[in-house]
């Protein structure tokens, strides 16, 4: 078997040539032509390789193989085997038929180099630049965005399993790194408790017994941490990743005071965004949506949706599972601006839209952010006719509000939401509201100092919010917005073709890099279908639904 060819001192300057000449690609399938010309230039990845050392496997070839790997759903070993065995892959890479290829371990080194030097986006950028050069991709027009969940490459654990597995992982690492040091601390009971995976046996029944077990694990963990962090212990023990995870997990899960080690109550735990959910992937987070919980990440996908051009993915953003869609809107626009692919209209679902986003997208980037906003929820507290917030007249200069019955507000105070958004809280007096003939249609406040109250955003945001609330109720707006639903088909294709619903790697950087490879593969597949005039697949309709449509 060949030794790995991607060495820390490998250079890109003398890489094996991989580009086919133009004469050889004139009559090649478009799938090949795009790939060969895009990744033939090794200079795009040269900064990830040192200037001195033995020649490396071509970075362009590895980028191409990584994309093909996701396009066909292959492992690293399988992809390396394809390079050695398949004639079409050799032709794409510009290799001779008897070329031995490279060892599969080179893939891991190549991904690490891309992440270390911040070149994760380069693979997608090169393809987008090539497609732009062909005139099939340009700024302006319409784009759409949606997100989907990504399961981490680890098991989902409950709290007891998590603390037990965190301690077991640290003990396993220390057993290899410092066996003599660890043997002086552990006893036979430790081997019985932590010798096998925590989820391989049943926990004791009864709440009190389970709590005793969890506290016993906590005491054992503190024993390891105290021994590792004492001044006389080797300093490198504290740098072991599993020990660092153990230390953080114990801060999150346990109290320790004069009374001993105690299991934290649920309300005393850190928020989900800051809390570990697996000792093997510190970047993964646990999130619940529609009653279903999952440990992992979330990916946000943007694509063009012009009818006269292929629908291509222009942006992939990966976050942990707890990040809300509204937190990603600005990042999406920044990334598209960096690629010079800003749309004129950006169609998104309600999760990405706030009044502040509508105003910022228009003012900073010239984008019309098209998506529904939340309706005035004041009517939920009233039955029948009610006075919505839009029926009140706001005088921004005088800082007063007039109600439909002509009463003027008594107070106006500037405040901030927990998210930092500035708002104005406006109140009417209880006397004005209590004697109002239409009191029941406006507010249920009957006692206290104040009557009806309003919360107003800054003037430009409030105007954008009210305008959008009126527009989204019209049929014209709904028909215009229907195009957003097409992004669900892109997510479905990415899930079925590249399996992005479960990451292959641990850690956010590697997961994001995998999503970049997946997006690039989907773009090449779609460009090939466009150039060969392959029609889009029809929307699937179940047999039962067909009966209903026929009826």
């Amino acid at each position: 078997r060949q030794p790995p060819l991607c060495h820390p001192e490998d250079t890109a300057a003398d890489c094996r040539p991989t580009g086919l000449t133009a004469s050889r690609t004139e009559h090649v399938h478009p799938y090949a032509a795009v790939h060969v010309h895009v990744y033939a230039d090794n200079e795009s990845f040269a900064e990830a390789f040192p200037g001195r050392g033995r020649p490396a496997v071509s970075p362009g070839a590895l980028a191409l193989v990584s994309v093909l790997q996701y396009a066909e759903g292959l492992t690293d070993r399988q992809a390396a085997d394809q390079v050695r065995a398949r004639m079409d892959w050799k032709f794409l890479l510009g290799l001779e038929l008897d070329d031995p290829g490279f060892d599969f371990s080179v893939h891991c080194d190549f991904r690490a180099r891309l992440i270390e030097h911040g070149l994760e986006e380069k693979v997608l950028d090169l393809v987008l630049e090539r497609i732009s050069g062909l005139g099939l991709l340009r700024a302006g027009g319409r784009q759409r965005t949606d997100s989907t969940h990504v399961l981490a490459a680890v098991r989902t654990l409950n709290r007891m399993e998590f603390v037990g597995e965190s301690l077991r992982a640290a003990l396993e690492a220390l057993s290899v790194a410092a066996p003599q040091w660890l043997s002086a601390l552990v006893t036979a009971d430790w081997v019985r408790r932590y010798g096998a995976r925590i989820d391989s046996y049943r926990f004791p029944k009864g709440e009190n017994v389970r709590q005793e077990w969890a506290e016993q694990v906590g005491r054992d963990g503190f024993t390891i941490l105290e021994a590792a962090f004492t001044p006389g212990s080797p300093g490198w023990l504290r740098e072991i990743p599993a020990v660092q995870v153990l230390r953080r997990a114990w801060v999150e899960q346990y109290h320790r005071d004069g009374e001993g080690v105690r299991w934290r109550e649920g309300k005393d735990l850190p928020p989900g965004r800051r809390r570990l959910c697996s000792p093997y992937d510190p970047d993964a987070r646990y999130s619940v949506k529609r009653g279903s919980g999952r440990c992992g990440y979330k990916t946000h996908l943007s694509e063009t949706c012009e009818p006269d051009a292929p629908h291509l993915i222009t942006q992939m953003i990966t976050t942990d599972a707890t990040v809300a869609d509204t937190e990603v809107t600005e990042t999406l626009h920044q990334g598209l601006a960096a690629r010079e692919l800003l749309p004129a209209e950006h169609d998104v679902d309600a999760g990405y839209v706030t009044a502040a986003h509508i105003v910022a997208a228009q003012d900073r980037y010239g984008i019309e952010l098209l998506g529904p906003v939340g309706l005035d929820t004041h009517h939920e507290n009233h039955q029948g006719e009610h006075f919505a917030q839009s029926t009140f007249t706001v005088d921004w200069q005088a800082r007063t509000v007039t109600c439909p019955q002509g009463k003027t507000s008594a107070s106006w105070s500037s405040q901030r939401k927990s998210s930092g958004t500035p708002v104005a809280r406006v109140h009417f007096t209880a006397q004005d509201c209590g004697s109002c003939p239409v009191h029941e249609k406006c507010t249920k406040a009957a006692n206290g100092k104040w009557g009806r109250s309003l919360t107003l955003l800054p003037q430009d945001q409030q105007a954008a919010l009210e305008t959008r609330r009126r527009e989204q109720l019209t049929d014209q707006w709904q028909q215009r917005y229907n195009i957003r639903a097409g992004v669900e088909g892109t997510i479905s294709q990415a899930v079925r073709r590249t399996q992005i619903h479960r990451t292959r790697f641990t850690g956010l950087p590697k997961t994001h890099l995998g999503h970049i490879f997946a997006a690039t593969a989907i773009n090449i597949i779609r460009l090939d279908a466009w150039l060969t005039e392959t029609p889009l697949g029809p929307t699937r309709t179940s047999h039962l639904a067909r009966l209903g449509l026929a009826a």
Side-chain angles (χ1 to χ4, degrees):
R1 191 177 79 179
Q2 284 188 323
L5 300 180
C6 197
H7 189 269
E9 296 184 356
D10 291 346
T11 62
D14 300 322
C15 291
R16 184 182 306 161
T18 61
L20 296 178
T21 62
S23 61
R24 292 183 63 185
T25 59
E26 286 180 351
H27 304 292
V28 179
H29 196 281
Y31 189 84
V34 173
H35 270 85
V36 168
H37 289 296
V38 166
Y39 296 122
D41 182 11
N42 289 313
E43 292 301 320
S44 300
F45 305 95
E47 63 182 279
F49 293 79
R52 300 178 61 186
R54 63 181 183 181
V57 177
S58 167
L62 291 175
L64 171 55
V65 172
S66 297
V67 173
L68 294 175
Q69 176 185 358
Y70 271 79
E72 301 194 11
L74 305 176
T75 65
D76 288 352
R77 188 185 295 272
Q78 290 171 337
D81 290 341
Q82 301 306 305
V83 175
R84 284 190 291 271
R86 285 178 55 174
M87 183 180 299
D88 55 345
W89 280 45
K90 287 181 180 292
F91 190 75
L92 282 172
L93 295 168
L95 303 176
E96 300 296 335
L97 293 179
D98 59 350
D99 192 287
F102 49 81
D103 189 80
F104 75 94
S105 61
V106 176
H107 283 288
C108 183
D109 296 330
F110 177 64
R111 289 191 293 265
R113 287 178 185 271
L114 293 182
I115 294 172
E116 181 182 356
H117 293 83
L119 297 176
E120 302 97 317
E121 305 285 339
K122 180 63 69 173
V123 177
L124 179 60
D125 288 341
L126 291 174
V127 170
L128 294 178
E129 290 172 5
R130 171 63 175 164
I131 297 174
S132 297
L134 296 175
L136 297 175
L137 181 63
R138 60 186 182 276
R142 306 180 74 178
Q143 292 190 32
R144 53 196 179 193
T145 298
D146 204 357
S147 64
T148 187
H149 69 274
V150 179
L151 299 178
V154 295
R155 298 186 302 277
T156 300
L157 306 173
N158 60 39
R159 283 187 65 192
M160 294 184 65
E161 291 173 336
F162 169 70
V163 295
E165 194 66 23
S166 297
L167 179 54
R168 194 187 77 85
L171 293 174
E172 288 289 305
L174 291 170
S175 297
V176 176
Q180 295 181 349
W181 178 88
L182 183 62
S183 61
L185 296 174
V186 302
T187 64
D189 290 337
W190 286 54
V191 177
R192 177 177 55 81
R193 282 195 294 269
Y194 314 114
R197 273 183 7 192
I198 298 301
D199 62 352
S200 64
Y201 63 89
R202 294 188 178 185
F203 287 106
K205 294 183 179 181
E207 189 65 26
N208 293 336
V209 181
R210 287 177 178 239
Q211 184 170 350
E212 291 177 4
W213 184 91
E215 292 176 352
Q216 178 62 58
V217 173
R219 289 190 292 270
D220 293 343
F222 280 118
T223 299
I224 296 296
L225 292 173
E226 287 177 350
F229 283 85
T230 54
S233 297
W236 54 267
L237 287 176
R238 308 162 196 169
E239 303 302 322
I240 297 175
V243 175
Q244 294 179 346
V245 169
L246 179 67
R247 184 184 186 187
R248 178 177 172 182
W250 257 232
V251 171
E252 295 174 352
Q253 300 291 337
Y254 289 101
H255 281 298
R256 187 170 64 159
D257 50 25
E259 300 179 1
V261 176
R262 290 179 289 112
W263 187 239
R264 284 183 183 266
E265 297 180 3
K267 62 182 180 181
D268 198 25
L269 291 171
R273 180 169 297 187
R274 299 179 179 274
R275 189 166 71 243
L276 297 175
C277 66
S278 171
Y280 304 110
D281 190 349
D283 292 338
R285 292 294 180 269
Y286 186 80
S287 177
V288 178
K289 183 176 182 180
R290 299 190 185 97
S292 177
R294 57 182 64 92
C295 175
Y297 304 91
K298 184 189 291 186
T299 185
H300 304 261
L301 178 153
S302 299
E303 67 163 357
T304 59
C305 51
E306 292 296 324
D308 58 344
H311 297 171
L312 303 170
I313 299 174
T314 57
Q315 181 86 321
M316 288 286 280
I317 295 179
T318 306
T319 66
D320 69 68
T322 63
V323 175
D325 292 348
T326 52
E327 302 176 57
V328 183
T329 307
E330 175 66 19
T331 306
L332 282 169
H333 293 161
Q334 290 176 355
L336 292 172
R339 287 193 168 104
E340 299 182 352
L341 291 175
L342 283 172
E345 178 182 307
H346 192 186
D347 301 278
V348 295
D349 64 19
Y352 293 92
V353 183
T354 64
H357 288 142
I358 295 175
V359 173
Q362 185 64 52
D363 293 346
R364 298 176 189 173
Y365 305 103
I367 298 174
E368 181 181 1
L369 185 64
L370 193 69
V373 297
L375 299 176
D376 185 357
T377 58
H378 181 72
H379 70 278
E380 295 179 357
N381 297 325
H382 298 267
Q383 296 180 354
E385 185 181 356
H386 66 282
F387 291 130
Q389 184 169 291
S390 58
T391 59
F392 289 73
T393 303
V394 182
D395 187 337
W396 296 94
Q397 299 298 326
R399 293 165 61 94
T400 60
V401 177
T402 304
C403 76
Q405 295 297 306
K407 300 295 184 180
T408 303
S409 60
S411 70
W412 177 301
S413 61
S414 298
Q415 302 179 11
R416 284 186 179 273
K417 293 183 179 180
S418 58
S419 60
T421 303
V423 295
R425 290 284 293 175
V426 180
H427 296 278
F428 291 82
T429 64
Q431 291 80 4
D432 288 341
C433 292
S435 60
C436 181
V438 291
H439 175 273
E440 297 298 330
K441 297 180 180 180
C442 187
T443 180
K444 290 188 175 181
N447 300 317
K449 182 179 179 180
W450 302 113
R452 175 72 185 266
S453 63
L454 301 176
T455 300
L456 302 176
L457 296 170
Q459 183 175 359
D460 55 349
Q461 297 182 24
Q462 189 67 34
L465 180 64
E466 294 177 357
T467 301
R468 180 59 51 84
R469 282 174 173 172
R470 291 193 302 268
E471 291 176 343
Q472 67 190 31
L473 297 178
T474 64
D475 293 338
Q476 182 181 2
W477 191 93
Q478 292 289 343
Q479 292 175 2
R480 182 183 174 193
Y481 181 65
N482 284 341
I483 196 173
R484 190 217 66 86
V487 73
E488 303 289 351
T490 301
I491 292 177
S492 177
Q493 183 182 17
V495 169
R496 289 181 287 107
R497 193 68 183 260
T498 65
Q499 293 86 45
I500 64 170
H501 263 178
R502 181 177 290 276
T503 178
R504 302 182 178 192
F505 315 110
T506 57
L508 182 60
K510 290 183 179 179
T511 298
H512 175 61
L513 179 59
H515 292 163
I516 293 297
F517 289 149
T520 308
I522 294 297
N523 280 349
I524 297 300
I525 293 169
R526 289 191 165 189
L527 183 62
D528 177 41
W530 174 267
L531 295 177
T532 58
E533 299 183 354
T534 302
L536 297 176
T539 301
R540 179 184 176 276
T541 304
S542 67
H543 296 293
L544 182 60
R546 290 177 184 174
L547 288 177
L549 291 173

